[in-house]
Amino acid sequence: LNFTLGGFYQDGEITNQVRRMKEALEAVGLEVYAPRAGRFLAVPEAVDYRGESEETKALYGLDQKETKPFGEQLLAARRLAERGVRFIQIMHGDGAAGAWDQHSKLKEGHSNLAMQVDRPTAGLLKDLKRRGMLDETLVVWGGEFGRQPTAEYAKGTGRDHNAYGFTMWMAGGGIKGGVSYGSTDELGGAAVEN
């Protein structure tokens, strides 16, 4: 079942998408699926931010137009984790990571995208830590590709995909912070270690 946060929670009622899922589960015997269904059916409550303090909403960037969409996703992720959901995937962009696929105007595009995710991401980590959840929650940040170290196309304003050398980072989950694993060549074109 796929949904977006916009309009998902409406006046405290379970939306049609969740209602259809609940009806399907009931048709095959909800008691068999109760543990999983209970977590999923908690989604409307998880995306109802009315109980969150203004400070917490600001921490995730919900008070700024540029950071609000991603901030809402990360706040929902924290609230879902609090309700026992064990794996949560968040995507930034158009849902297919196309927003980060900068074959042209890379500096402009990535600067804008980084601005959209920086504050909410820092807010999530801070919020998880102060709630005592960061040690048990592993946050992984990454994408499907890196970018080539050389310019692409005639005007050279973008970079092509690079599957041979790119960065991912992790925080929380009991991992040791400040550790780098592996390295690329001096240009960042390909992994040379690990």
Side-chain angles (χ1 to χ4, degrees):
L1 184 61
N2 189 14
F3 66 89
T4 59
L5 293 180
F8 187 75
Y9 185 85
Q10 298 172 359
D11 301 323
E13 295 199 19
I14 297 174
T15 61
N16 289 332
Q17 291 180 58
V18 176
R19 192 174 298 111
R20 284 194 304 272
M21 174 62 96
K22 183 176 183 287
E23 290 168 358
L25 290 171
E26 288 172 342
V28 296
L30 183 61
E31 64 280 352
V32 175
Y33 300 99
R36 293 179 187 146
R39 288 182 183 145
F40 183 77
L41 295 174
V43 170
E45 177 192 349
V47 297
D48 178 8
Y49 309 130
R50 291 179 288 191
E52 296 287 343
S53 70
E54 292 305 313
E55 184 272 334
T56 298
K57 292 176 188 177
L59 187 66
Y60 285 85
L62 272 58
D63 59 342
Q64 292 183 346
K65 177 181 72 169
E66 298 82 7
T67 55
K68 184 177 180 180
F70 195 64
E72 285 181 332
Q73 291 183 70
L74 295 186
L75 181 54
R78 190 221 72 211
R79 292 173 60 89
L80 288 168
E82 285 176 321
R83 286 155 178 80
V85 177
R86 295 176 58 185
F87 181 86
I88 303 160
Q89 178 179 352
I90 302 296
M91 293 186 71
H92 177 259
D94 64 4
W100 288 89
D101 197 11
Q102 300 286 318
H103 290 275
S104 63
K105 299 181 182 177
L106 182 132
K107 184 174 174 23
E108 176 187 337
H110 280 192
S111 294
N112 288 332
L113 295 167
M115 184 267 312
Q116 294 169 18
V117 301
D118 186 53
R119 182 175 171 194
T121 302
L124 171 67
L125 297 175
K126 182 177 181 179
D127 199 21
L128 289 172
K129 185 172 183 176
R130 72 183 182 184
R131 291 172 185 272
M133 297 173 64
L134 189 58
D135 287 341
E136 297 179 359
T137 306
L138 179 63
V139 177
V140 179
W141 179 274
E144 83 281 26
F145 284 111
R147 296 322 242 178
Q148 292 289 346
T150 54
E152 179 181 23
Y153 301 132
K155 294 187 179 184
T157 62
R159 307 278 173 97
D160 201 0
H161 300 185
N162 184 4
Y164 302 106
F166 56 94
T167 300
M168 296 182 79
W169 62 257
M170 296 184 285
I175 65 168
K176 182 178 178 183
V179 175
S180 293
Y181 183 79
S183 62
T184 63
D185 59 40
E186 65 275 3
L187 295 177
V192 293
E193 179 185 7
N194 297 324

